[in-house]
Amino acid sequence: MNKRILAKLVGFGLLFFVAIFNPCSSFAQGAGLTTANQFFYQGNSAYKEGKYDTAIDSYEKVASLGLESGNLYYNLGNSYFKKGELGKAVLNYERALFFIPNDSDSKSNHEYTLSFLNSGPQSFGNWFERFANRFFEEVTVNFLTILLSVVYLITILALIRNLFFDGAKRSIKILPLVLIPLFILSAVSLSRKIIYLNKGAIVISKEADVKFEPITGATTYFKLTEGSKVEILERADSWYKIKRPDGKIGWVDKTNLESLFGRPGYR
Amino acid sequence: MDAIRRVNVFIIIGLTFLLHTVALAKDINFEATVDRNKVGLGQTLQLELTFDGTQNMPALELPAIEGFQARYLGPSTRMSIINGQASSSITHVYTLLPVKKGTFKIGPFKFEHNGDKYSSNSINLEVAEEAKLSEDKPSQEGQLETKDLNERIFLRMQVGKDKVYLNEVLPVTIKLFVNRLGVRDIQYPQFSHDGFSIGEFGQPRQYQETLGGINYDIIEFNTTIFGLEPGEFRLGPANLQCNLIVKKQNRRQAPASSEDFFNSDVFDNFFGGYQTYPLSLKSADIPITILPLPEENKPAGFSGALGFFDFEATVNPLEVKVGDPVTLKATVRGQGNFNTVNLSTVSLGNDFKAYEPQVKQEKETKTFEQVLIPLNTNIKEIPAISFSFFNTRTGQYETITRGPFPVKIVRPEKEEGLKVVESKQPAVPSLKEEKLGKDIIYIKDNPGELRKKGDYLYKNKIFLGFQVIPLLVYLFIVVVHARNRKLKTDIKYARQFLAPRKARVGIRRANSYLEKGSVQEFYDTLFETLQEYLGDKFHLPSKGITISVIDEQLKNRGISEEILAKLKDIFLECDMVRYAASQLTKENMQNSLKKLEEAIDYLQRDKV
C-alpha cells in the first residue's frame, strides 16, 4: 500500500519536473524571429561603422517586435555609451544583467560607465534582502523561480517521506534544516528582484530635482544624478513618486527617468 | 652522599666569594676631587676622597693641609650595575675652609688599610680674596654667569692627527664636559666639515673624568671623517645644543633660621623651582691638512684603499668536476676606509665562467665571495689574486698577493658533452603594473536568446498552478495516512468503518443467489451479512448476534422501533427458511433484501 503511494508520488514528481523544465516561455516563432535577427545584425554593422544612432534604431526595432535578450540590451548599452548618453547606457546594462547576470562584459561595461558618472553600485532593500541577494547575484529571475520551486518540492517530498518512515534516518530529519534557510533566502532574493524588475528605473537626464510634491514649483527635496537607480512607487500624470536606495522618497518629473521593464501604465 | 656533595658545593661557592673579594681589594682606585679649584677667603669647598671598587673603607684622618682647615662631613656610597658589571664605591666628603690666600697644592693623600697602601692624586687650589671672588660668583644662583659657566660646561673636539691622506679615515671625538649642572635634551653635535665626508655618530658614551682636579661628567660623541680633496682645511667648530636646568630665582641661600625656612615657598622649590635654560656650546676648530696620495710607486691594481690591512684568500673545494662551482673567498681585514676597498679583478681567461662576487662589508672586515665554474680539465690552478692599498702608517703603497691556488679538475662521471649548469634563477616576473587603457568591451555579435518581452516564469499561470499541486498532494497524503493508521490501531473504528463496505459485498452476493433462486444460500448470506454488519457496527461479537441481543443492545441506543422490527423480521425469515424453505417465495426474498438495505441505510445515515 505505502509503496504504491510512493511510486505514484515519484511518478507525479517526475511529471512536475518535466513541466517546469519546459518553461512555457513561448519563443517568438518563425518570421518574427528572423526579422528580429535581421534588425539585430543591422544594428551591429551600423555600430561597427560608428553610426550609433542607426544602431540604436535597429536594436529598438527588435525590442518593438516584443522581443528582448541580454545581448540586445548589452549592445544597446554600448551604443548609448558611444553616443555619450551614459544614463541610458546604465539603464540598458542593468536590463542586460537581468538576462545575463554573470556576463563579465556586461558587468565590466556597467561598472566602467558608472565610474564616469562618479557613482558606485547601489542596491535596494534592507540588510536581509541585500544579504540574500548576495547569494543570488549572478542568477536570473527565472532560474531563481525554478530553484525556489525545486526547493519547495523537495521540502514537501521530505515531509512526505517523514510521514511514512517514522524512525527515519537522521539525514532525512536534517534535510529541512538546510532546505528551509535556502527556501527563505531564495524567496527573499526573488521577491527583491521582482520588485526591482517592475519598479526599477534609471535617471537618464544629467540631473533631476526630486520634489516634496508633484507640483512644478514645489521645494526640491534632493537631487538625482544621471545613472542613479530609483524605484517608482506611484505614477501621477507627469510625475513619478520615487524611492532612492537610501530610502528617501520624493516626486520627480517623469521625463527624467526611464523604467527598466515596468509598463508605462504600471501602478 | 648527597649531603657531602652539597657541602662541597657550598665550600666552593664560599671560596669563590673569598677569592673574589681578594681580587677586588687589589682593584681599588683611590682618587681625590674638589668641587671647584678657585675659592674665596671665607668660603668653603668640598673635598671628596673616593675609593672605587669597595665600600668597606673607613674615613681617613686627613693630615694637616697647609692653608686650610678640614672637617669630615660623612661618607656616601654608590653601587651601580652597568652591562651586568657591578661597581661600587665609597666617597668620604670633607669641607675645606681656606685660611689664607694664594695657590696651594693639596695631596697626594696616602692611606693604609688592612695592609694595603693607597695613594691619591694631588690637586691645585687657588684661594683669592673674598671681594674679588664675590664679583666672579653669581650674586644669585638663578642667574647664570657666562664666565663661571664656561668652566662648568664646555665642549671639546679632538681628532687623531692633523695630517691625513686623501680618503684616510680619521676618528673625531667630541666631548661635553659638565660639572655639577643639570643638563638635558642634549642634541648630537654638529660641525662644519668643508672638504670632508663625515660618518654617522655612534651611541654617545657617558663616563666621568677628572680634569685639573675637578670631576666632570663626560658625554662623548664619536664619528669618523675622511678628506675629499687635498689641501689645508679647518674642521669645526663643533656646536651642541642642550638645555640647562637651573633653579629659579631664590632669595634664600641657605635656611639660616626657621623663620626663613617657613617664609620660603616650599612648593615653589618642589614643583616650580627649576627652569630650563637653552644653551649653545661651541668648541674650538682644528686645522687639518689633507695630503694627496703619492703618485710614485702606485700599484696598477690600486683602487683607493687606505689604512692598514691584511688580506687572505681561500679556494674551496680543491677538487671538482667540470661544471661544478668553486668558491673563491677573499677577506680584507684591518683598519681604514672600507668603502674604497676593492679587489683588482682577476683575469680568468676562457677557462672559467665567473659570477659577480658577493660582497659583505662589516666593521673591520670586507669579504668577497666569487663563484667560478671550471670549463675544462686542463685547468691546474686558479690564478693569484692581489690587493693593493696605501698604508697610512708607513706612507707607502703595499700590495698583498695570495695564490695561485692549485685545483684539480676532473671529468664528470658520465660521458656527456660539456654542460654548464646555470644556477637557476627564479624567473623574475615583471612587477610593473599593467598600465593599459580602459574602455568598454565590444558589442556581442549574436542576439542571444531572444524571448517575448516580460515573459517570466513567475508570471506563468500554468507554472504557478503547478506549485499548488504538491501541497494538495501532501495534504491528501496526510489525511489518508492518518486514516490508515487509525484503521490499523483502532479496531472498533476499523470495524465500524468497514461494516457498510462488507455489507454491500454481502448484499451483492445475496442478490446473485436471489436471481439464481437458491433460497437456502440466499438467506444464509443474508443472515451472515446482517450478523456481521451489526457486530461490526456496534462492536459486538458477530456470531453471537440474535434477536434477543438486538433487543438488548439496540433498544437503548435510540434506534427506531420500525427499524428494529425490520431487523427482527429478517432474522425470523432466516430462521424460517431452515424449517420451511419452500414457503418463501421470490417476493419474500426481495422484501427481505429490501428490508436489510433499508436498515443498513438507516443505521449508516443516522450515524447511530
Side-chain angles (χ1 to χ4, degrees):
Chain A
M1 173 79 171
N2 284 342
K3 275 184 187 168
R4 241 169 57 207
I5 291 175
L6 264 187
K8 273 183 200 167
L9 272 176
V10 170
F12 193 74
L14 280 176
L15 200 76
F16 181 76
F17 263 82
V18 171
I20 56 174
F21 280 110
N22 280 322
C24 304
S25 51
S26 47
F27 285 81
Q29 297 292 316
L33 196 59
T34 324
T35 337
N37 281 342
Q38 265 175 14
F39 284 137
F40 185 86
Y41 293 123
Q42 273 173 20
N44 277 8
S45 47
Y47 183 94
K48 276 169 204 166
E49 289 164 24
K51 295 173 188 166
Y52 302 117
D53 282 318
T54 322
I56 291 169
D57 276 350
S58 305
Y59 294 135
E60 293 287 9
K61 272 180 196 161
V62 181
S64 69
L65 288 172
L67 296 171
E68 60 186 355
S69 79
N71 289 4
L72 176 72
Y73 286 127
Y74 171 84
N75 285 6
L76 259 175
N78 271 13
S79 309
Y80 277 118
F81 181 89
K82 290 280 185 184
K83 212 183 145 192
E85 292 185 29
L86 299 186
K88 284 202 167 184
V90 171
L91 173 76
N92 282 293
Y93 290 134
E94 287 267 347
R95 282 172 174 166
L97 286 170
F98 262 99
F99 295 91
I100 41 174
N102 53 0
D103 181 65
S104 61
D105 295 355
S106 305
K107 281 194 279 191
S108 163
N109 286 1
H110 183 224
E111 269 172 36
Y112 184 60
T113 314
L114 283 179
S115 74
F116 271 89
L117 297 166
N118 292 324
S119 73
Q122 309 156 297
S123 51
F124 280 98
N126 58 31
W127 69 270
F128 188 72
E129 288 170 322
R130 287 203 301 273
F131 172 75
N133 259 339
R134 200 173 292 171
F135 288 92
F136 302 108
E137 223 162 50
E138 303 203 340
V139 157
T140 61
V141 171
N142 275 358
F143 182 89
L144 203 53
T145 312
I146 290 170
L147 178 76
L148 188 61
S149 168
V150 169
V151 171
Y152 160 71
L153 186 68
I154 294 173
T155 311
I156 284 190
L157 286 177
L159 285 173
I160 290 171
R161 243 202 105 158
N162 281 355
L163 266 188
F164 286 96
F165 302 97
D166 265 349
K169 286 178 209 153
R170 198 186 295 157
S171 62
I172 292 166
K173 300 217 163 164
I174 287 173
L175 198 61
L177 293 182
V178 182
L179 289 173
I180 290 167
L182 185 62
F183 183 83
I184 292 170
L185 284 178
S186 51
V188 168
S189 180
L190 178 63
S191 76
R192 187 64 250 167
K193 273 183 202 276
I194 290 173
I195 291 171
Y196 184 56
L197 179 80
N198 287 314
K199 296 186 174 181
I202 302 289
V203 179
I204 53 166
S205 56
K206 291 282 169 223
E207 197 176 70
D209 289 349
V210 184
K211 296 174 186 294
F212 280 100
E213 298 168 290
I215 302 164
T216 318
T219 320
T220 303
Y221 183 19
F222 55 90
K223 288 188 181 215
L224 290 170
T225 53
E226 192 174 13
S228 321
K229 277 181 188 180
V230 293
E231 274 183 11
I232 298 172
L233 304 177
E234 244 179 77
R235 292 162 202 246
D237 303 327
S238 65
W239 293 88
Y240 285 156
K241 188 180 182 183
I242 58 98
K243 186 165 125 186
R244 218 161 60 159
D246 64 3
K248 277 190 180 173
I249 293 174
W251 293 87
V252 66
D253 193 293
K254 72 175 184 185
T255 52
N256 292 314
L257 299 182
E258 193 166 331
S259 275
L260 282 175
F261 299 102
R263 301 285 167 271
Y266 173 87
R267 196 158 182 109
Chain B
M1 245 338 240
D2 255 10
I4 293 167
R5 196 174 291 163
R6 213 170 291 159
V7 169
N8 278 341
V9 168
F10 274 114
I11 290 168
I12 289 164
I13 292 172
L15 278 175
T16 317
F17 265 96
L18 274 175
L19 287 170
H20 201 64
T21 37
V22 171
L24 280 174
K26 283 178 182 166
D27 291 339
I28 290 167
N29 184 26
F30 180 34
E31 193 177 34
T33 53
V34 288
D35 62 343
R36 49 191 159 154
N37 51 8
K38 269 184 191 170
V39 69
L41 276 172
Q43 290 175 326
T44 56
L45 61 94
Q46 277 191 2
L47 170 70
E48 295 182 352
L49 300 180
T50 306
F51 295 91
D52 261 327
T54 182
Q55 292 192 342
N56 301 318
M57 203 56 85
L60 75 160
E61 284 272 321
L62 278 188
I65 304 168
E66 195 205 345
F68 294 93
Q69 282 182 359
R71 191 155 58 93
Y72 179 57
L73 284 181
S76 80
T77 56
R78 202 174 62 171
M79 178 90 176
S80 61
I81 298 173
I82 298 162
N83 293 335
Q85 290 213 324
S87 67
S88 56
S89 65
I90 184 164
T91 304
H92 295 289
V93 186
Y94 303 81
T95 46
L96 296 181
L97 182 70
V99 290
K100 55 179 176 181
K101 61 175 185 172
T103 310
F104 303 93
K105 183 184 176 190
I106 59 170
F109 299 100
K110 291 187 163 51
F111 181 57
E112 198 174 323
H113 179 64
N114 284 350
D116 290 315
K117 284 181 180 172
Y118 304 97
S119 177
S120 81
N121 52 326
S122 60
I123 302 167
N124 288 319
L125 286 177
E126 187 187 334
V127 181
E129 271 186 48
E130 191 178 5
K132 188 190 160 199
L133 249 144
S134 63
E135 279 175 7
D136 287 354
K137 254 193 97 67
S139 53
Q140 280 169 326
E141 274 188 37
Q143 277 183 348
L144 289 151
E145 198 146 306
T146 327
K147 195 180 170 189
D148 189 28
L149 203 62
N150 279 345
E151 289 171 8
R152 288 172 66 179
I153 179 163
F154 51 90
L155 197 65
R156 277 194 187 169
M157 179 158 72
Q158 294 165 347
V159 291
K161 44 185 173 177
D162 55 2
K163 279 185 184 173
V164 293
Y165 288 102
L166 200 65
N167 281 337
E168 185 184 346
V169 172
L170 185 64
V172 176
T173 307
I174 295 166
K175 286 182 182 174
L176 175 66
F177 288 74
V178 182
N179 171 241
R180 292 186 302 130
L181 281 173
V183 183
R184 68 173 189 203
D185 306 330
I186 300 167
Q187 292 171 11
Y188 277 101
Q190 290 174 331
F191 56 92
S192 63
H193 51 87
D194 285 339
F196 296 95
S197 169
I198 62 168
E200 278 185 21
F201 282 102
Q203 195 68 29
R205 285 202 307 136
Q206 210 166 344
Y207 56 94
Q208 290 198 336
E209 196 177 296
T210 310
L211 194 73
I214 300 178
N215 212 4
Y216 287 98
D217 288 308
I218 309 284
I219 295 165
E220 187 185 297
F221 301 91
N222 285 305
T223 186
T224 53
I225 58 168
F226 58 89
L228 296 172
E229 52 187 297
E232 302 268 341
F233 294 94
R234 293 193 81 80
L235 190 67
N239 277 308
L240 184 139
Q241 308 286 332
C242 62
N243 283 330
L244 265 189
I245 301 167
V246 292
K247 252 187 194 168
K248 264 189 181 172
Q249 209 170 53
N250 193 350
R251 272 163 278 134
R252 180 173 53 86
Q253 291 280 352
S257 67
S258 60
E259 204 189 342
D260 272 356
F261 180 80
F262 286 113
N263 280 343
S264 70
D265 191 353
V266 177
F267 291 99
D268 193 46
N269 273 342
F270 268 127
F271 301 109
Y274 293 91
Q275 63 183 24
T276 56
Y277 179 88
L279 194 65
S280 177
L281 297 169
K282 203 171 183 182
S283 76
D285 52 352
I286 303 167
I288 292 177
T289 309
I290 299 175
L291 303 169
L293 294 175
E295 281 302 313
E296 54 183 303
N297 300 330
K298 196 174 190 176
F302 179 71
S303 61
L306 270 113
F308 184 73
F309 299 107
D310 194 11
F311 174 62
E312 279 168 21
T314 53
V315 166
N316 186 46
L318 293 172
E319 186 179 321
V320 286
K321 291 170 195 153
V322 170
D324 281 359
V326 176
T327 307
L328 173 65
K329 187 177 175 183
T331 310
V332 177
R333 198 173 274 119
Q335 285 171 349
N337 190 345
F338 274 98
N339 289 328
T340 55
V341 168
N342 250 320
L343 289 187
S344 52
T345 46
V346 189
S347 67
L348 293 161
N350 292 327
D351 292 340
F352 290 96
K353 182 179 171 65
Y355 289 88
E356 274 294 300
Q358 300 258 319
V359 182
K360 204 163 79 186
Q361 186 170 340
E362 280 165 27
K363 204 178 173 191
E364 289 190 340
T365 56
K366 192 168 184 176
T367 315
F368 301 83
E369 263 190 49
Q370 190 169 22
V371 174
L372 306 172
I373 290 172
L375 299 179
N376 58 56
T377 51
N378 301 331
I379 299 165
K380 296 283 178 277
E381 58 180 30
I382 290 174
I385 182 166
S386 61
F387 168 63
S388 302
F389 65 97
F390 183 78
N391 191 329
T392 48
R393 294 190 190 177
T394 60
Q396 300 284 321
Y397 287 104
E398 282 180 28
T399 300
I400 304 173
T401 304
R402 300 282 178 228
F405 308 94
V407 286
K408 196 177 171 193
I409 311 293
V410 296
R411 205 166 276 287
E413 280 157 23
K414 274 186 193 168
E415 276 300 317
E416 56 186 323
L418 183 66
K419 194 173 167 189
V420 175
V421 182
E422 291 270 355
S423 66
K424 272 192 184 167
Q425 288 200 329
V428 183
S430 79
L431 292 170
K432 271 187 198 165
E433 209 178 309
E434 280 188 300
K435 280 185 184 167
L436 303 171
K438 213 185 163 201
D439 206 341
I440 55 165
I441 296 160
Y442 194 61
I443 50 168
K444 311 264 182 196
D445 57 358
N446 66 320
E449 187 192 317
L450 277 172
R451 295 195 326 200
K452 211 176 126 193
K453 260 191 184 175
D455 191 13
Y456 291 99
L457 207 51
Y458 78 90
K459 287 183 186 167
N460 190 307
K461 290 199 174 67
I462 301 167
F463 176 81
L464 291 178
F466 264 105
Q467 303 305 306
V468 189
I469 294 170
L471 192 67
L472 291 179
V473 169
Y474 175 68
L475 292 176
F476 173 74
I477 288 173
V478 166
V479 171
V480 170
H481 184 73
R483 205 202 58 187
N484 283 353
R485 172 172 283 190
K486 202 166 182 189
L487 283 181
K488 266 185 207 159
T489 52
D490 191 341
I491 295 166
K492 187 178 171 187
Y493 171 81
R495 286 181 76 181
Q496 274 177 357
F497 182 79
L498 293 173
R501 210 176 287 178
K502 282 187 189 168
R504 225 169 292 138
V505 175
I507 288 170
R508 217 174 293 141
R509 216 166 66 216
N511 230 342
S512 65
Y513 288 130
L514 178 70
E515 269 159 27
K516 280 186 209 159
S518 41
V519 180
Q520 191 67 44
E521 282 87 353
F522 172 80
Y523 277 103
D524 279 351
T525 313
L526 211 60
F527 185 72
E528 266 173 39
T529 306
L530 189 58
Q531 253 191 342
E532 218 166 306
Y533 176 76
L534 290 176
D536 285 349
K537 187 79 188 169
F538 300 107
H539 198 50
L540 299 166
S542 294
K543 297 290 170 197
I545 303 275
T546 58
I547 294 178
S548 60
V549 171
I550 289 170
D551 268 345
E552 280 170 28
Q553 295 286 333
L554 302 190
K555 258 185 188 167
N556 46 10
R557 295 194 192 215
I559 292 166
S560 69
E561 288 295 323
E562 193 189 347
I563 295 299
L564 279 176
K566 277 179 185 168
L567 289 173
K568 279 180 189 167
D569 277 356
I570 296 167
F571 272 111
L572 283 172
E573 269 178 33
C574 289
D575 275 346
M576 249 171 77
V577 141
R578 294 177 192 169
Y579 316 110
S582 54
Q583 284 182 14
L584 292 166
T585 60
K586 201 165 187 175
E587 210 171 316
N588 285 116
M589 283 156 69
Q590 270 169 349
N591 270 339
S592 297
L593 197 61
K594 206 179 167 192
K595 274 178 200 161
L596 180 68
E597 275 171 351
E598 275 170 10
I600 291 174
D601 239 27
Y602 171 84
L603 287 172
Q604 278 307 110
R605 211 174 36 240
D606 286 11
K607 311 254 180 228
V608 180

